[in-house]
Amino acid sequence: MLRAAGLTKTVVSGDAPLTILDGVTFDIAPGDSVAIVGASGSGKTTLLGLLAGLDQPSEGEVWVDGQALSGLDEDARAAMRQRLLGFVFQSFQLLPALTALENVMLPLELAGADDATAKAREWLTRVGLAKRTTHYPKQLSGGEQQRVAIARAFAGDPKLLMADEPTGNLDGATGAEIAELMFRLNHEHGTTLVLVTHDTALASRCTRRLSLAAGRLVADEATH
Ligand SMILES: Nc1ncnc2c1ncn2[C@@H]1O[C@H](COP(=O)(O)OP(=O)(O)OP(=O)(O)O)[C@@H](O)[C@H]1O
Ligand SMILES: [Mg+2]
């Protein structure tokens, strides 16, 4: 489903180049649930950006569903994301001019769903936001915005769901509900999960754990 080979990311900050990811290689099979863990600054978000094709590696290659991302231009990568991928990032990236409902509807409409409104309402209800559909992002709390982003990521029934700290800004009970939704998708639809998390309870529910330290993959373990 997802393969990374020799992924390296070097950035120039100040006058010295800085390697923030260094030769990261792994394979994720369809239906896997994978936690990416590591200290703050170890390169988790950078790695997720490369896997989603939002950023390009300095060296190495990513294959999503058998397709090498380096062979795709920006438009083709966007089309790939729309077809296969749901993602929730640390910055929620909701569109500020759209209501919660419209934010969730947008990818459904782009995919040509004829029941976009009903599906978007259903997902907002599942994340506990049935009463917030007409709110704009700035009228929502951080955790509520995160839940809208999660509803939007889930609504398209993606084959691959990538999330950066999906429960990070949520209280324990809400975070547990979001985790429940993700693992239900994993079990019932075979959705492959790739979750960056500091939450050990969430990580322990995944079948695999990839550990990063200072940009290197230091462990790749089956957890059950
Ligand atoms: N565009 C950039 N330019 C320079 N340095 C960067 C850039 N992007 C990331 N970094 C650095 O690369 C390192 C890895 O960043 P990254 O955001 O991937 O860490 P992380 O593991 O997600 O951390 P956190 O748990 O705090 O979210 C950090 O030291 C960060 O300062
Ligand atoms: Mg991060």
Side-chain angles (χ1 to χ4, degrees):
M1 186 74 231
L2 191 60
R3 166 174 292 185
L7 279 188
T8 296
K9 181 75 182 178
T10 307
V11 295
V12 179
S13 63
D15 40 25
L18 181 69
T19 299
I20 54 182
L21 277 181
D22 192 359
V24 173
T25 298
F26 56 81
D27 243 308
I28 294 176
D32 271 357
S33 53
V34 179
I36 299 177
V37 302
S40 178
S42 57
K44 305 180 297 297
T45 296
T46 305
L47 176 59
L48 214 55
L50 296 178
L51 296 177
L54 296 172
D55 187 13
Q56 283 166 315
S58 311
E59 283 172 53
E61 182 64 275
V62 175
W63 289 265
V64 179
D65 209 22
Q67 190 137 48
L69 296 189
S70 67
L72 305 178
D73 63 16
E74 189 64 53
D75 288 348
R77 286 200 302 274
M80 178 281 293
R81 283 194 294 273
Q82 198 203 307
R83 190 166 56 83
L84 292 174
L85 199 66
F87 55 83
V88 181
F89 273 179
Q90 267 173 326
S91 50
F92 316 118
Q93 297 174 330
L94 295 178
L95 296 175
L98 300 184
T99 64
L101 186 69
E102 290 162 350
N103 265 286
V104 180
M105 284 171 66
L106 187 64
L108 291 166
E109 287 178 328
L110 288 173
D114 47 16
D115 53 352
T117 311
K119 269 197 173 150
R121 270 187 203 290
E122 183 188 322
W123 277 105
L124 283 171
T125 303
R126 287 198 207 173
V127 298
L129 293 176
K131 297 205 168 118
R132 294 286 185 279
T133 56
T134 60
H135 282 57
Y136 289 90
K138 67 169 189 295
Q139 300 172 316
L140 296 167
S141 74
E144 288 169 345
Q145 290 179 42
Q146 185 156 6
R147 284 185 277 154
V148 174
I150 287 166
R152 181 181 59 181
F154 288 4
D157 197 11
K159 274 172 116 177
L160 183 57
L161 184 74
M162 291 186 193
D164 198 351
E165 293 287 358
T167 59
N169 290 314
L170 305 177
D171 64 87
T174 308
E177 278 169 31
I178 296 301
E180 215 35 63
L181 282 173
M182 289 191 296
F183 285 96
R184 203 184 310 149
L185 277 184
N186 176 249
H187 292 139
E188 293 175 5
H189 297 244
T191 309
T192 306
L193 301 180
V194 181
L195 311 177
V196 166
T197 186
H198 289 289
D199 178 344
T200 49
L202 186 61
S204 69
R205 290 183 69 173
C206 293
T207 53
R208 250 176 83 200
R209 184 167 54 225
L210 302 178
S211 306
L212 289 180
R216 289 174 182 268
L217 186 65
V218 293
D220 179 351
E221 306 154 288
T223 46
H224 22 233

